[in-house]
Each structure stands twice: as C-alpha cells, then as structure tokens.
Amino acid sequence: MPRIGHHILGGVLACLLLFALAAAAPAQGLSDATRGVPLPGKGPRAYVNLIIDDLPNLDLWGQLADDADAFGMKTTLALNTAKATPADYAAMAARVAKGHEIANHTRDHVPVAPSGVIKLRFFSPQAKSAYAAVDSQAKVLRLIVDDNPKPLAELDLAENGRHPTLRQLTDALNNVRGVAAELGDPYYANIQSRFLAERDKTDIFFKNGFAPLFVDIPAHARYEIQGADEDIAAGLPGYAVKAMVYPFLVSDAASRQVTSELGLTCGRVGTAGNAALGAPGGYDLYRIYAVKPRDAFGTDPASPQFAAKVASFLKKIKEVGGVLCLYSHGPDEFTNEQWKALLPLLAADKEIAYVTLGELGDFVRKTGVLRDGKYYLPQGK
C-alpha cells in the first residue's frame, strides 16, 4: 500500500478510536460508580433533588424555590440551625407551604464524624513523660507530667463551663507552659468539648510530633442532629424533618446509625455517595450522591457546552436509574441567575422528577427491596 494510504488509514482509525472513547465516557459529573439499570414502571426515569446548603444562603434558596415553582419543581434547604432567627423561619415557612423542604444540617454546622479533633503535645527538657486524660464524668481534661498526682493543668469541658467548644479548649491549652495544641481541622472549632472521648492516658510527650484526641461520635452526632431537629420543630411548628444533609459530606457508620435512630429517613453526602437506584451494589439511603452544577455543567449557561453537558447528564441518569442531588452553597459557587438559566434546561426533560430530598427517599423505599441495609430494584434480586 502506498505510504499516503497508510496515513489516511491511520487517520481514520484514530478518528474511530476517539469517537469510541467519547461515546464510552461517562456524563459530566457522574463517575463509573453510577452504573445501573433503568427504573421500572412507566413513571419518571430519574429523580433529582435541587438543594442549597447552609443558613447564610437562605435568600439564594428562597429565590431558587420561587423560580422552581414555575416549573413544578420542589427544592430543599439544608439548615444549620444555631443562628436561625424568627424572620428566617418565616421565610422558610412561606416556601414550605408550597411544598419545598427544610433538611437537617446539624445545629452548629460541624462534621458529625470528625477524626482527630485536637492535636496535642507537651515537651520540657526537665520532664520524662506526659499524658492527657479525658474524664467524661467530671467533664475535665487533665494533663499529667511525670505521673505527678497534681495535674499540670485541668481544663473544664462542661457545656456551660469555661471551654465549651474545641476552639476555646485549644486556645486554653496553648496557654499552658510547654503545651502546643491545634485543631485537627478548622471546621472542628464549634464542636462541643464535652464530647471528647473518655481516655485514661494519651501519650503527649513529643518534642515535635502531636497526639490526637477524639470525640465520642455517637454522642456528638446525636446532640448535633437531634438539636437541629428540635430547633426546626420550634421554628416551624408541626413540620416534620425527614432528611439529613451531612456537613462537609462527612459521615460514618456510627453517625448514620444515629441519623436512622432519630427518625430521619435519608441522608445526603456528596460524590462519594450512590447515584443509581439500579446499581448492582444496591442503594444506601443514607449515602445519597450529590454534585455541584458548576462541576457538572460549568458556570456559563450561555455557552453551547453548558446546555450539551446538561443534556448528557440527564440522558445518563435516565439510563442508570438515577436518584441523586444537584447542590450548591452560595452565589460564589452558583448564582440565582445561573440557577434561573439552568431550571428550564432541566425542566425540558419531562421524564425526570424534581422532588425534595425526603420525597426522593420515599421513592427509593417504595420502589426498592431492602436487603442488608441497601435497596435493590425488584429486577435486581
């Protein structure tokens, strides 16, 4: 074959290969973990929850809810309750009356399943050892040097004490001579100090390294989740919260168990969750997938690429039995104008239902078969 023929054939094969790769690629915003099968029956082919996180974004959610009303869509606000005012609840009540939803997002907007919450060390050339002891009964943290019966420091962990939050406790620790302390994560600042886990001895004698202190996750999660439920019940009398939205996408088996025990029927995480009810591995209602519109579609609704990515996303979730969320925080992530442009693109697909997070959970329980804590489509038995 002439050399030019090789070039032409090579080009054709390359184009075919690129086309095959493009066709096999998952839709923007979805991963290989979203493999599944179509939903059964003649109803919607996918269920999507539109959700805004956090009390400071109440106005953005309120406008989104109002805009969504024109398309018959329902939305959710993930509410961290500690600073919500009567005026805030009045704004929520107006949207709740139209079918929109308030979800539990904890009282203090802190992770319900944190890891090492405080990093701590003590060092002195004159000392040979040091340890920290958490006494959950007395609600104190003691620092003991060289097994001296008199503590180097004894710090109050009580709810109404001197150091009720981990931020205040960390600051106090850094005022103790020879001690260095820091939060394991800035988001841990408002966790209640009284939930530090009971521990007789944690070695903290390090010149450079740090030792972690932990919290009792079930007790901490119960306080945060139950407290938010109680706040919402007071602010919206008669309203029953169904859904949990885990702050910072963090949860674990213990915190999810607490969520269930408190009567919340579903929980949202993030892209580490499950998006397809028809997935082979089943659907965990306390690990519902969520992705940000800016990550899935971009931030320029006027561009052809934006509309194409939306169409690809919707096509994909219908193919896999999609049951998931689109979420954002404030206008720095996705503005009301961007949401307003996105809504008609979503609404144009009449085979997709846009429901609250609680309604999404209701659909999964009604449609799936529960086995070992996960839901499977009947055809997947």
Side-chain angles (χ1 to χ4, degrees), residues 160-211:
N160 298 313
R162 296 182 61 190
H163 320 110
T165 69
L166 293 185
R167 164 56 70 196
Q168 292 163 313
L169 179 61
T170 302
D171 290 344
L173 284 165
N174 281 314
N175 286 327
V176 178
R177 186 178 179 86
V179 171
E182 59 187 49
L183 289 168
D185 189 292
Y187 295 130
Y188 300 164
N190 290 325
I191 291 176
Q192 299 279 298
S193 300
R194 61 195 166 110
F195 295 121
L196 282 178
E198 179 89 19
R199 185 71 185 270
D200 289 338
K201 289 186 177 183
T202 297
D203 183 9
I204 60 171
F205 192 68
F206 299 103
K207 188 172 184 178
N208 297 306
F210 287 82

Side-chain angles (χ1 to χ4, degrees), residues 148-339:
N148 191 322
K150 181 179 180 180
L152 172 69
E154 188 169 279
L155 296 106
D156 183 6
L157 305 180
E159 180 179 7
N160 298 313
R162 296 182 61 190
H163 320 110
T165 69
L166 293 185
R167 164 56 70 196
Q168 292 163 313
L169 179 61
T170 302
D171 290 344
L173 284 165
N174 281 314
N175 286 327
V176 178
R177 186 178 179 86
V179 171
E182 59 187 49
L183 289 168
D185 189 292
Y187 295 130
Y188 300 164
N190 290 325
I191 291 176
Q192 299 279 298
S193 300
R194 61 195 166 110
F195 295 121
L196 282 178
E198 179 89 19
R199 185 71 185 270
D200 289 338
K201 289 186 177 183
T202 297
D203 183 9
I204 60 171
F205 192 68
F206 299 103
K207 188 172 184 178
N208 297 306
F210 287 82
L213 300 181
F214 300 91
V215 296
D216 179 336
I217 286 178
H220 159 64
R222 185 172 296 275
Y223 166 79
E224 286 293 339
I225 298 170
Q226 185 171 349
D229 268 0
E230 292 169 354
D231 290 343
I232 295 169
L236 296 171
Y239 183 77
V241 179
K242 289 184 176 182
M244 178 69 200
V245 176
Y246 296 104
F248 310 106
L249 315 180
V250 174
S251 71
D252 67 356
S255 57
R256 293 192 291 271
Q257 178 63 32
V258 169
T259 306
S260 175
E261 290 171 359
L262 289 173
L264 298 172
T265 56
C266 60
R268 192 214 79 193
V269 287
T271 51
N274 35 220
L277 178 56
Y283 194 94
D284 185 343
L285 256 182
Y286 293 95
R287 300 185 69 181
I288 298 173
Y289 177 101
V291 66
K292 296 179 181 180
R294 71 173 187 185
D295 296 336
F297 317 129
T299 57
D300 182 9
S303 71
Q305 291 84 2
F306 187 93
K309 288 178 180 178
V310 172
S312 176
F313 182 90
L314 300 181
K315 179 176 182 291
K316 180 65 175 179
I317 64 175
K318 288 189 295 183
E319 291 172 352
V320 301
V323 179
L324 50 85
C325 306
L326 287 170
Y327 83 105
S328 76
H329 294 87
D332 57 321
E333 289 188 356
F334 215 64
T335 66
N336 275 127
E337 289 71 25
Q338 289 168 319
W339 275 109

Side-chain angles (χ1 to χ4, degrees), residues 63-77:
Q63 184 61 59
L64 171 62
D66 293 346
D67 292 337
D69 284 336
F71 300 99
M73 297 174 166
K74 303 307 176 189
T75 69
T76 298
L77 172 68

